[in-house]
Amino acid sequence: MTSRNGSSPRPQYEVLVIGAGFGGIGTGVALKKVGVENFLIIDKWHKVGGTWNANTYPGVAVDVPSPIYNFSFQQRSKWSRFFAPGNEIQRYAEEVVDKQGLRGKLRLGCGAEKAVFDDAHDMWRITTEAGDELTARYLVSAVGVLEQPKLPPIDGIDGYSGKIMHTARWDHSYDYRGKRVAVIGTGATALQAIPELAKQVEQLTVYQRTAIWVAPKPDFAMGDGWNRVLDMPPVQQGVRLFGNIAVNAFLGLGFALSDYPRATSAVLGVGERALKAYLFTQIRDRELRQKLIPSYRLGCKRPSISNVYFKTYTRPNVDLVTDPIEKFTETGIVTADGEHRDFDMVVTATGFKVMDKGATPPYPVYGSDGVELGQFWDENLYQSYEGVSVPKYPNMFHIFGPYGYAPGSVIPLIEATSTHAARVVAESRRRGATRAEIRQEPHDEYFQRMFARNNNTYLFDLGCADSRTYYINYQGNAPALRATTQFDMYWSNRHFPLDHYRFTATLPAQATADRTLVEVEG
Ligand code: NAP
């Protein structure tokens, strides 16, 4: 087959995966499982592990128990702690790459700049940041949603002359020991960094805009005994099953129960009382405690866990500031009450752009009608089928797409959506098709169902109004979530009818302007 301009239209790869984090690694394994070997995984970083490579701030650790933060096909029994530090999780990613035979499929230090669907030849053309072109029949975007750092748009920030760094871009060459340091933000990341920084700096000032619900962290060192017990497959499977149910319940029960608002409210009430009691055990100063109690309902934004976060505010070298930040000056920060504080370093623990134009995914994607995906979502709301595929973006699959993630550990999400993508690729292959596109009707049905479910959750009740949750995006919707259980997410990605996709082939002789797509039946 040759194209109109004479160059070969045969793609270099059957599948190109963008991202070598857990999403890309899981996808590689899912592809191998269905017999697809001609694939490449690219990543802008020089190491695998994605978020565990990007986030190296002091105190970084997984906040889902490590024995369940691993793939079902390669469970690891040896962990230093029940909640392992970030670098140990990154090492686990390397182990999976080696054991699953993915090392030779990687091209690291290779960022995607643009993806364009070649409508005449049913393949994707991906331009890399180095300016090369890679072509593939299918494209999997395995770029996480917590990927693009969000910098606070605070007046004067550019004129600040001290050191400033986002937690996801930690500069290890800067020595903050003995310095005056500020942290902006009190999300799950700040909560891990603040206690570590407090131990080493002269003075730590934390700027809190919205408090976070915090539960105690059942963390402990895992010695040989624990590792040996976890090495037994039935124990591993049991821990995995019950652990995932528990994390799913902690993070997402309130959403999954959205059809039962009274039950939801009762469950949340019990949780909130328990967490306030925990705070009481940590801080005796009533005024300080009041500042740390969220004014929104538990679960409006992701709660977190720590045994040391609250106590850190009782240290003599730590201040909690709740007056709003007005501006940066050349040397520090001024709050609305007029107080100016000087800092050597400001840490922006201000999170990520989630389901935001230009960030999810962080490169432009042009579909079969030439429309850019971010533009399409901007004009028509974020949407997808099962969090994976979008009409008019054929042969493309997302691992963390809109309305895909039922709150819990991300591993079940990755195993569900990567299996979905691999099923479609395998079926397309079986039918001799060159194009697989989600049909409009099942897509619309799924999107409308999830949109309605999400809108029916307490996220849109008054109880969440002042939470500033990143679960709700700039359009006022919650595409980062799927208000179902993780079991529902897992099941439906493995069992959706394959005929929800339209499989077509471009006949070789018709690879011209007047070609027709021939539907290939199963
Ligand atoms: P985040 O939850 O979005 O928190 C950002 C913090 O910065 C919030 O306290 C926010 O306050 C504050 N902030 C943002 N812009 C601000 C501004 N202009 N002025 C003042 N404050 C501002 O981000 P994150 O803490 O990085 O956590 C993101 C997610 O990463 C978590 O939900 C979790 O899913 C994941 N995470 C996972 C782990 C793990 O171990 N697995 C660890 C860390 C994080 P407002 O709330 O007022 O906006």
Side-chain angles (χ1 to χ4, degrees), residues 349-496:
T350 43
F352 302 88
K353 296 176 185 166
V354 179
M355 297 292 161
D356 203 346
K357 202 173 165 202
T360 317
Y363 43 82
V365 174
Y366 297 90
S368 56
D369 59 2
V371 175
E372 201 281 308
L373 182 59
Q375 183 75 27
F376 170 74
W377 279 335
D378 187 48
E379 289 166 4
N380 301 279
L381 302 185
Y382 278 68
Q383 52 188 278
S384 76
Y385 173 71
E386 297 280 353
V388 174
S389 50
V390 184
K392 299 207 171 63
Y393 296 84
N395 294 4
M396 180 175 191
F397 310 96
H398 299 265
I399 297 301
F400 305 92
Y403 299 96
Y405 165 65
S409 163
V410 291
I411 305 289
L413 167 75
I414 291 166
E415 292 197 2
T417 51
S418 62
T419 299
H420 177 140
R423 279 183 74 206
V424 178
V425 170
E427 180 66 5
S428 193
R429 212 187 215 203
R430 193 182 70 76
R431 296 188 189 198
T434 52
R435 180 186 295 215
E437 182 172 354
I438 185 65
R439 294 178 196 269
Q440 197 68 48
E441 307 74 36
H443 165 277
D444 290 353
E445 189 279 326
Y446 176 83
F447 167 49
Q448 280 155 19
R449 186 157 46 90
M450 286 306 142
F451 187 81
R453 277 192 73 84
N454 283 12
N455 277 359
N456 192 34
T457 62
Y458 66 101
L459 265 186
F460 294 93
D461 274 354
L462 288 179
C464 287
D466 54 358
S467 70
R468 290 200 187 88
T469 176
Y470 72 78
Y471 290 163
I472 298 180
N473 77 344
Y474 72 102
Q475 296 167 314
N477 301 310
L481 298 183
R482 165 188 181 133
T484 70
T485 60
Q486 284 210 321
F487 177 77
D488 185 83
M489 167 191 82
Y490 203 76
W491 182 265
S492 54
N493 274 289
R494 284 170 180 256
H495 299 282
F496 65 85

Side-chain angles (χ1 to χ4, degrees), residues 186 208-213 291-296 301 467:
T186 50
Q208 170 185 282
R209 188 165 68 177
T210 310
I212 181 170
W213 286 106
K291 287 182 178 178
L292 291 165
I293 297 178
S295 57
Y296 56 86
K301 63 201 303 182
S467 70

Side-chain angles (χ1 to χ4, degrees), residues 501-512:
Y501 281 80
R502 182 184 299 108
F503 295 92
T504 53
T506 301
L507 299 181
Q510 292 176 322
T512 60

Side-chain angles (χ1 to χ4, degrees), residues 17 19-33 41 71 73 96 102 142 399 414-415 418-419 422:
V17 182
F22 276 64
I25 294 170
T27 303
V29 173
L31 290 171
K32 276 176 159 273
K33 227 183 240 175
I41 305 175
F71 289 112
F73 51 80
V96 178
L102 295 176
I399 297 301
I414 291 166
E415 292 197 2
S418 62
T419 299

Side-chain angles (χ1 to χ4, degrees), residues 142-215:
V143 179
V145 285
L146 301 170
E147 211 276 330
Q148 291 285 300
K150 189 174 77 183
L151 299 173
I154 299 172
D155 274 358
I157 192 165
D158 293 336
Y160 172 62
S161 62
K163 181 74 181 173
I164 185 158
M165 58 174 122
H166 190 276
T167 42
R169 298 288 182 271
W170 200 264
D171 177 359
H172 290 272
S173 69
Y174 183 80
D175 187 1
Y176 52 80
R177 283 173 300 179
K179 301 229 164 93
R180 297 160 306 168
V181 174
V183 173
I184 302 178
T186 50
T189 299
L191 182 131
Q192 294 182 332
I194 287 166
E196 289 306 308
L197 290 169
K199 286 186 224 160
Q200 311 223 22
V201 303
E202 178 195 308
Q203 176 66 33
L204 183 71
T205 306
V206 178
Y207 288 93
Q208 170 185 282
R209 188 165 68 177
T210 310
I212 181 170
W213 286 106
V214 183

